[in-house]
Amino acid sequence: MHTNLPYSTPAPSRAVTIAKAALLFGLAAYFAYTIVSGSLTNYINARFAWLSYVAAILFAIGGAAALLALRGGPRTSAFGHSRTSLSMLLMLATPLVLGTLIPSRPLGVDAINGSIRVGAASYGAAEIALVSKSPLDRDILDWSRAFASEPSPSAFNGQQAKVLGFVYTEPDYPPNTFMVARFTVSCCVADASALGLPAYDASAGVLEDGTWVEVAGEFQAGDFLGQQTPVLHVAQITPVEAPAHPYLYP
Amino acid sequence: MTSSAAHPPARRWLGPAFTTALLIGIAALLLTRGDPAVTLGIFATRFLGIFIEAAPFLLLGTAVSGLLEVFVSREDIVRWLPRSRLAAPFVGAFMGFAFPVCECGVVPVARRLFTKGLPMPVGVAFLLAAPVMNPIVLVSTYIAFGFGPLLIARFAITAAVAILVGLVFALTARPEEVLLPASLAPITGGSGAKATDRPRLGPGLIRAAQFSVDETFDMGRYLVIGALLAALMQMFVTQEQLIGIGSGPVVSVIVMQAIAFVLSVCSTVDAFLALAFTGTFTVGSISAFLTFGPMIDVKSTLMFLGVFRRRAVAYLILIPFLLTLLAGVWLNLLLR
């Protein structure tokens, strides 16, 4: 074994090594839990879930490597400052503490904070996929893409739709009007953005904000906050459980 | 070398300063929004989202770093790389095809390569270019945008900026003025295995894993602070508020650079996010998002502080910012 390492630091104490191993196994367990419990999709696009499998495995390997270090004698380190300090341990413990103590919830109505995109939203070439999708199978994102690809809102008059989302209202919305909203997530919730379809329900009052609903009806072009856009005229609205995957993925 | 030598006095206040700023920010957030429990929950979700997305890439980067430490010698690095100062950044800009890592993984890899004697300008160009100039990002950008102006612009601008910054550093600074002492190659010997004295595979892998653990804790703290800061900024400023600032040929580019900096989205997947902006923003601004973001964002800035001196970090942010801004504005005017 080579012995020419330039910087030699004292071996970390047994307690620090055990703390490192415990933290790494803890993080491995946390990642595994988010995968098994399904809460992973509260944080990232389901498309990238496999990366969390990789993380869980690598954290566990790191924990095992840290434990193996307990068997060995004094070890040299490549960096003079790479001896693990208390601040490093605390920092790596932060996600574990927050992830464990704060119940996992997807972003919902409270996270919108007035920032919601209405109607048309462009997602580039993805509009092509719409051609093969039946209107009743389209979600809010699909409809937004369809609106973006068609300049005239009245082109959707009479089209039937059934969408899932949560209720969102603002004080300046017209009477009996609300948004059926979802968050879109491209990568992780860092880029989450709320997207809504205006809906009009003449027959009843609007449900409480944040209630997950399935809304069926047909589109009619109308004015919504000064903008001409297809508005979903509600024929049936049913409160439902929040879906397992709450976000839409562009 | 002692710990204090690795962290000179001027740097000692950095950790407490960031921690204090974070705590003040979180306190302000909780006091100025409605229900503190709900606000804390949203903040935690945003933070964990960034951490969960970035952690695998950090771990892959530190794993590569550990393998380099044990299995690659300084002699190997010297043998593989050009001697010419001016040619070096060109090699650095394309090293991502050998080490396909994103902006989280590239920092530990670059730091380890520096300790192996990687010439500073090569490492600087590698650090800036690798998050884009690698096969994974090439494919993801192609899937998102197809072969067209944005794909070409992303790779051409990234390579040009990385090479230019590498050249600037090569011509104007010495390694010891740019790198922290712990990132510098020792004057004699070299970190890790000598070419003639490589460890056997099994013990070598265990040793590599143990070095990776050290690296994960060292670099991971910057990732955690960066993710906390990014989540905090997102609680105060939303994408929609930034988008609302403007859509002109210059302002739109700056806005998209700001969004890229704040969101800190991994470069391997940011092309899919950029798709969402194609109808709203100019081509130049999207290209700035796709080039500036992978080089510089909140968490990578924090991680740079573990490798470079503060003044060098300032230049590493400022020059790519200005160059990608110029490129974005030029594209906007060209494609008008």
Side-chain angles (χ1 to χ4, degrees):
Chain A
M1 187 70 69
H2 55 85
T3 54
N4 66 328
L5 294 175
Y7 304 117
S8 293
T9 56
S13 77
R14 198 174 171 81
V16 169
T17 305
I18 291 171
K20 282 162 67 177
L23 254 180
L24 291 168
F25 280 125
L27 284 165
Y30 173 67
F31 271 75
Y33 172 76
T34 61
I35 294 164
V36 173
S37 69
S39 62
L40 186 65
T41 51
N42 289 345
Y43 303 109
I44 64 169
N45 187 327
R47 189 190 300 161
F48 306 118
W50 64 273
L51 284 167
S52 295
Y53 289 79
V54 172
I57 292 166
L58 289 177
F59 274 128
I61 291 173
L67 279 185
L68 278 176
L70 283 174
R71 291 193 324 176
R75 187 165 66 83
T76 50
S77 174
F79 300 117
H81 68 293
S82 69
R83 230 183 120 196
T84 306
S85 65
L86 182 64
S87 69
M88 292 181 202
L89 292 172
L90 287 175
M91 276 301 154
L92 262 289
T94 304
L96 195 53
V97 171
L98 287 178
T100 310
L101 294 186
I102 297 178
S104 177
R105 287 182 55 194
L107 294 182
V109 71
D110 296 310
I112 291 180
N113 199 23
S115 293
I116 185 165
R117 281 176 297 157
V118 183
S122 172
Y123 286 91
E127 280 103 18
I128 296 163
L130 278 176
V131 175
S132 59
K133 214 166 186 179
S134 146
L136 286 174
D137 290 335
R138 291 178 184 176
D139 58 32
I140 291 171
L141 187 58
D142 295 327
W143 281 113
S144 296
R145 286 171 172 155
F147 298 160
S149 63
E150 169 56 57
S152 169
S154 57
F156 297 92
N157 284 354
Q159 281 212 21
Q160 300 287 316
K162 188 162 78 174
V163 292
L164 179 69
F166 57 82
V167 173
Y168 178 73
T169 55
E170 291 276 345
D172 57 346
Y173 286 4
N176 295 331
T177 303
F178 63 100
M179 289 268 227
V180 192
R182 297 284 290 267
F183 274 94
T184 60
V185 168
S186 299
C187 172
C188 63
V189 288
D191 65 67
S193 182
L195 180 66
L197 281 185
Y200 174 74
D201 187 358
S203 62
V206 172
L207 289 162
E208 189 182 342
D209 271 11
T211 310
W212 280 88
V213 289
E214 189 174 75
V215 181
E218 69 172 41
F219 287 108
Q220 291 294 332
D223 180 90
F224 182 73
L225 302 178
Q227 179 190 347
Q228 276 296 309
T229 185
V231 175
L232 186 61
H233 286 245
V234 177
Q236 189 177 14
I237 180 165
T238 316
V240 293
E241 288 288 313
H245 298 302
Y247 307 132
L248 296 173
Y249 307 122
Chain B
M1 183 174 285
T2 64
S3 180
S4 61
H7 294 281
R11 284 176 52 77
R12 283 185 200 156
W13 58 265
L14 266 178
F18 276 119
T19 310
T20 309
L22 266 174
L23 291 176
I24 291 172
I26 293 169
L29 184 70
L30 297 179
L31 290 173
T32 55
R33 297 291 170 89
D35 185 344
V38 172
T39 306
L40 187 63
I42 296 168
F43 171 73
T45 302
R46 290 193 185 276
F47 161 71
L48 288 169
I50 299 171
F51 180 79
I52 289 172
E53 186 70 35
F57 295 103
L58 173 77
L59 290 166
L60 289 171
T62 57
V64 172
S65 168
L67 292 171
L68 284 170
E69 170 62 27
V70 174
F71 292 107
V72 176
S73 69
R74 188 176 181 185
E75 292 91 322
D76 293 331
I77 298 284
V78 170
R79 196 167 57 241
W80 294 338
L81 290 171
R83 306 249 168 105
S84 160
R85 231 175 16 157
L86 294 179
F90 288 86
V91 175
F94 290 90
M95 273 172 56
F97 287 94
F99 301 101
V101 281
C102 70
E103 72 272 22
C104 292
V106 74
V107 182
V109 174
R111 185 168 76 161
R112 187 70 64 176
L113 287 170
F114 281 135
T115 68
K116 297 280 179 185
L118 183 76
M120 181 268 289
V122 183
V124 167
F126 169 61
L127 197 73
L128 294 176
V132 167
M133 304 288 286
N134 72 62
I136 299 167
V137 175
L138 181 68
V139 170
S140 70
T141 311
Y142 174 76
I143 291 170
F145 293 104
F147 186 78
L150 274 168
L151 180 76
I152 296 166
R154 179 171 213 190
F155 285 85
I157 293 169
T158 300
V161 170
I163 290 166
L164 275 172
V165 177
L167 285 172
V168 168
F169 274 73
L171 296 173
T172 60
R174 294 193 302 273
E176 58 272 26
E177 295 170 330
V178 172
L179 297 168
L180 290 175
S183 305
L184 282 167
I187 291 169
T188 58
S191 165
K194 286 163 95 173
T196 54
D197 186 23
R198 295 191 197 283
R200 284 185 295 119
L201 185 64
L205 287 176
I206 292 173
R207 195 173 169 75
Q210 289 170 344
F211 277 115
S212 301
V213 167
D214 278 348
E215 195 80 326
T216 300
F217 277 90
D218 201 10
M219 284 283 119
R221 64 180 156 164
Y222 297 108
L223 172 64
V224 170
I225 296 174
L228 285 168
L229 275 175
L232 196 59
M233 286 182 184
Q234 288 171 25
M235 295 295 286
F236 283 110
V237 185
T238 64
Q239 282 183 58
E240 285 72 17
Q241 285 167 330
L242 283 171
I243 289 169
I245 291 173
S247 55
V250 179
V251 176
S252 65
V253 178
I254 296 172
V255 165
M256 285 303 279
Q257 286 175 305
I259 290 175
F261 183 79
V262 171
L263 292 188
S264 300
V265 173
C266 179
S267 63
T268 51
V269 293
D270 63 355
F272 301 107
L273 171 60
L275 265 179
F277 294 114
T278 48
T280 317
F281 272 85
T282 57
V283 172
S285 64
I286 305 261
S287 82
F289 177 88
L290 291 171
T291 51
F292 180 67
M295 293 184 198
I296 310 292
D297 62 31
V298 177
K299 59 181 162 49
S300 64
T301 299
L302 268 290
M303 292 172 84
F304 284 178
L305 288 169
V307 181
F308 297 98
R309 293 183 182 279
R310 273 175 297 143
R311 179 182 282 196
V313 173
Y315 285 119
L316 279 174
I317 296 170
L318 195 62
I319 304 174
F321 170 76
L322 290 174
L323 290 175
T324 52
L325 172 62
L326 275 175
V329 173
W330 178 73
L331 267 179
N332 279 345
L333 297 176
L334 189 74
L335 299 175
R336 203 179 236 182

